[in-house]
Amino acid sequence: MTSEAHTALLPLNQTAIAASVIRPGGLWRSVDVVPEAGSTNTDLIARSKEGAPEGTVLVTEHQTAGKGRLGRGFTTPARVALTFSVLVRPSVPSDRLGWVSPMMGLAAVAAVREVAGVKAALKWPNDVLVPGEERDGKLAGILAEADFSDADQLGIVVGMGLNVAQTREQLPVENATSLRAEGAPGTSRDELLTTVLAEFEERYAAWTASAGDAEASGLAAEYRDVCVTLGRPVRVHLPGDRLLEGTATGVDTQARLLVGERALSAGDVVHVRPGR
């Protein structure tokens, strides 16, 4: 194994990560790196119910029962991915909360471009991609879950699994990719995580200061700029084996995908595939 390939397999340095992102008046309050977890989202939701503060970050070296959209599960080998969840408690109108997951996607795209030099993009609603000539490679998935246990303070946990050091053979499906597979084998997971957290904090501060207004905060314009779904023909698979075909013309103020006359939230959709 080359030294470059080995870099991403080093254990995460919790002390260094915390020192980099935690500061007085900032969003991040604690960073906890655990050797193994079933799902960082599940574990952080449990901590939220116990009163964990906004800005809690949970990271694992080895996720054995990761959660995707619609109950899909996944596992990753130890130390080859960046698997983590964050807890936020935004005080914004409920119809604007759909922007929390895309916000993490934007943070991931910015971090991957800066740290790894890989030109990532987003697919609506929750995938980080590396666009390709023949097909796009999925680099990361993002899942947001809500904790309603405290009637006065909603908790939202946002989790991400980002493929860093997997070889082509280690990737779970044909359309998946990793930073290593995209020519960035020496990417530091420490640097990648601290940059994702910094990028998320910057956007979250602007968004909450605008009462969750994605247009006023600049979040919506940035999202539209990096979302490869927009402007393309799509086939949208809906519950009950229903199918909607058309062109994805935009994303509205609630982060819903606009296809023809329809505005679709992430919870309305099973899959979005390229159209013909």
Side-chain angles (χ1 to χ4, degrees):
M1 180 182 296
T2 66
S3 59
E4 273 195 333
H6 183 69
T7 302
L9 300 177
L10 294 172
L12 291 161
N13 187 328
Q14 176 178 303
T15 302
I17 294 167
S20 179
V21 302
I22 298 173
R23 57 183 175 77
L27 172 62
W28 306 117
R29 305 284 288 278
S30 66
V31 177
D32 187 11
V33 178
V34 298
E36 184 174 305
S39 160
T40 54
N41 261 31
T42 298
D43 292 352
L44 194 50
I45 285 282
R47 295 190 188 189
S48 177
K49 293 178 185 297
E50 294 169 356
E54 177 175 72
T56 301
V57 182
L58 179 61
V59 196
T60 187
E61 294 281 21
H62 185 200
Q63 186 157 255
T64 59
K67 295 163 65 177
R69 289 183 65 246
L70 306 175
R72 302 177 189 122
F74 64 93
T75 62
T76 51
R79 293 187 183 176
V80 298
L82 186 60
T83 47
F84 70 97
S85 299
V86 305
L87 170 63
V88 292
R89 299 187 183 277
S91 297
V92 304
S94 59
D95 62 354
R96 297 175 174 181
L97 292 172
W99 280 103
V100 177
S101 182
M103 193 184 310
M104 181 60 80
L106 289 171
V109 166
V112 165
R113 291 181 176 187
E114 177 183 338
V115 176
V118 172
K119 192 168 176 59
L122 292 177
K123 171 193 170 187
W124 188 92
N126 66 337
D127 287 347
V128 181
L129 304 178
V130 179
E133 292 184 8
E134 295 185 6
R135 65 169 182 264
D136 301 329
K138 181 175 176 178
L139 188 64
I142 296 167
L143 178 67
E145 298 181 274
D147 167 27
F148 297 102
S149 61
D150 185 339
D152 299 321
Q153 193 173 49
L154 172 71
I156 299 179
V157 168
V158 190
M160 179 164 64
L162 195 159
N163 299 327
V164 178
Q166 290 98 321
T167 63
R168 292 283 183 191
E169 294 72 29
Q170 288 176 313
L171 292 165
V173 292
E174 187 178 355
N175 69 331
T177 191
S178 70
L179 295 179
R180 179 177 180 176
E182 295 297 328
T187 304
S188 162
R189 291 185 303 148
D190 282 12
E191 186 180 0
L192 193 59
L193 178 57
T194 58
T195 307
V196 170
L197 294 176
E199 295 286 352
F200 182 88
E201 179 177 9
E202 179 182 339
R203 289 160 179 78
Y204 185 77
W207 178 70
T208 53
S210 303
D213 188 330
E215 299 290 354
S217 66
L219 198 65
E222 183 187 9
Y223 184 87
R224 294 175 187 129
D225 188 52
V226 301
C227 182
V228 297
T229 308
L230 305 185
R232 291 182 174 183
V234 293
R235 294 165 56 88
V236 183
H237 297 258
L238 303 169
D241 294 324
R242 292 174 296 142
L243 187 66
L244 173 65
E245 295 186 273
T247 298
T249 57
V251 173
D252 71 8
T253 57
Q254 297 179 36
R256 297 179 301 183
L257 183 68
L258 304 178
V259 180
E261 301 287 320
R262 297 282 297 274
L264 303 165
S265 68
D268 296 331
V269 170
V270 178
H271 291 295
V272 177
R273 306 293 193 203
R276 299 199 258 287

